[in-house]
Amino acid sequence: MVRLIASLVGAAFVLVLGIALFGSVSGVITDPVAPSAESVAHKHPKELELASNGVFGKFDRRQLQRGFQVYKEVCSACHSLRLVSFRDLQKIGYSEPEVKAIANQWVIEQPTINPETGEAATRKNIPSDRFPSPFANEVAARGANNNALPPDLSLITKAREEGTAYVHSLLTGYTDQPAALLKQFPDIKTPEGLYYNPYFANLNIAMPPPITADDQVAYADGTKATKEQMSADVSAFLTWTAEPNLESRHAVGVASILFILVFCGLAWGAYQNVWRDVKH
């Protein structure tokens, strides 16, 4: 009797699930969801070829230094880099004296407390310091950016899908809102204070175009600073800040694969030697 009741309950449960599934599928077929502006206009990030791409990829130090220069002169006014220390710049080719000079001359100083008065104060940066935030707190950051909070860029290429390509596409993707899109979706006109960018999730972003013209930065190594070049360079730099040990990880991975291949070869040779006289 108990088994019969359990079977009936199970059959009823399966029947209810079947009815619900049929209703959902038939609803999608007969009344499909209307396309949204985001589904129509949102673009997939463009491919970005960097020296660090691939299993054998290594960072291009000159490009990383150019990217740091773009961050310093363009991005640092709004975006923090709180997980990176000044002394980490030695890993991308800066000497110790150069790092000391960069830290000392950084526009934003380190917040501290005056030991004599107990009041808030600032001091010059030293190499062991992390890059200071351009704003005292979140309230100040929002107040200076039309209530939008500029994200920290330390791990931005890890925090976004296809991060490096996404950053590059976003920086080069600002454009006027297409008339055809407005005609199809009259209610999605970009609001005042926002900017149309098809690589951003909802198409409208609070950040003004940071890279607006060629030669916005005068590269120390003489490279022509086109908008495309500056965007690629700062994307490469932010790839390094998110994964500074990428090269050693690649090296360990290659060494591990080679070890496994050699081990498999030795194991196969040992197998053949041990069992060569055994009839199968």
Side-chain angles (χ1 to χ4, degrees):
M1 188 65 178
V2 173
R3 183 175 297 178
L4 177 62
I5 294 174
S7 299
L8 291 174
V9 170
F13 183 72
V14 171
L15 179 63
V16 170
L17 285 179
I19 294 172
L21 178 61
F22 175 78
S24 300
V25 172
S26 62
V28 170
I29 295 174
T30 58
D31 188 20
V33 178
S36 64
E38 290 81 2
S39 65
V40 171
H42 185 258
K43 292 183 179 181
H44 191 73
K46 300 174 290 186
E47 291 289 334
L48 178 62
E49 292 295 329
L50 295 177
S52 57
N53 291 352
V55 177
F56 301 100
K58 292 186 176 182
F59 289 118
D60 180 344
R61 261 74 183 162
R62 289 183 61 188
Q63 183 174 45
L64 295 185
Q65 290 183 20
R66 293 196 303 268
F68 169 67
Q69 189 176 349
V70 175
Y71 168 76
K72 176 184 176 182
E73 298 183 22
V74 177
C75 309
S76 64
C78 296
H79 294 277
S80 58
L81 208 61
R82 61 184 177 83
L83 299 182
V84 182
S85 300
F86 286 99
R87 63 186 173 191
D88 291 334
L89 296 177
Q90 293 184 56
K91 298 177 183 178
I92 64 173
Y94 288 101
S95 65
E96 186 175 346
E98 287 175 326
V99 170
K100 289 182 178 180
I102 291 171
N104 183 262
Q105 296 168 12
W106 200 257
V107 174
I108 304 164
E109 297 185 341
Q110 286 289 330
T112 185
I113 299 296
N114 188 320
E116 297 179 359
T117 64
E119 297 179 349
T122 60
R123 62 166 174 79
K124 291 286 187 180
N125 295 285
I126 58 176
S128 60
D129 288 329
R130 293 185 176 182
F131 284 86
S133 172
F135 304 105
N137 50 47
E138 181 178 330
V139 175
R142 290 186 180 277
N145 291 278
N146 196 26
N147 204 38
L149 181 64
D152 178 79
L153 297 183
S154 305
L155 301 175
I156 195 68
T157 57
K158 288 292 186 184
R160 302 291 187 270
E161 184 178 0
E162 298 187 64
T164 304
Y166 168 79
V167 170
H168 174 255
S169 296
L170 188 75
L171 292 175
T172 58
Y174 287 89
T175 184
D176 294 330
Q177 196 169 28
L181 185 66
L182 277 174
K183 184 176 181 181
Q184 184 179 359
F185 302 97
D187 298 331
I188 58 95
K189 182 176 175 60
T190 300
E192 189 71 26
L194 299 182
Y195 303 86
Y196 181 79
N197 193 316
Y199 295 100
F200 193 64
N202 66 2
L203 306 181
N204 299 311
I205 185 171
M207 180 176 69
I211 298 176
T212 57
D214 293 346
D215 298 319
Q216 187 172 339
V217 170
Y219 280 139
D221 65 0
T223 301
K224 176 66 176 176
T226 63
K227 291 192 290 185
E228 177 71 22
Q229 183 70 57
M230 289 184 285
S231 300
D233 291 344
V234 76
S235 299
F237 173 70
L238 294 176
T239 299
W240 171 77
T241 64
E243 195 169 7
N245 297 320
L246 177 142
E247 291 176 332
S248 59
R249 180 172 61 81
H250 283 180
V252 170
V254 171
S256 299
I257 292 173
L258 292 176
F259 172 79
I260 291 172
L261 291 175
V262 172
F263 176 80
C264 289
L266 293 174
W268 173 252
Y271 168 79
Q272 293 293 323
N273 184 62
V274 171
W275 298 100
R276 66 179 184 276
D277 295 328
V278 178
K279 294 182 178 180
H280 296 283

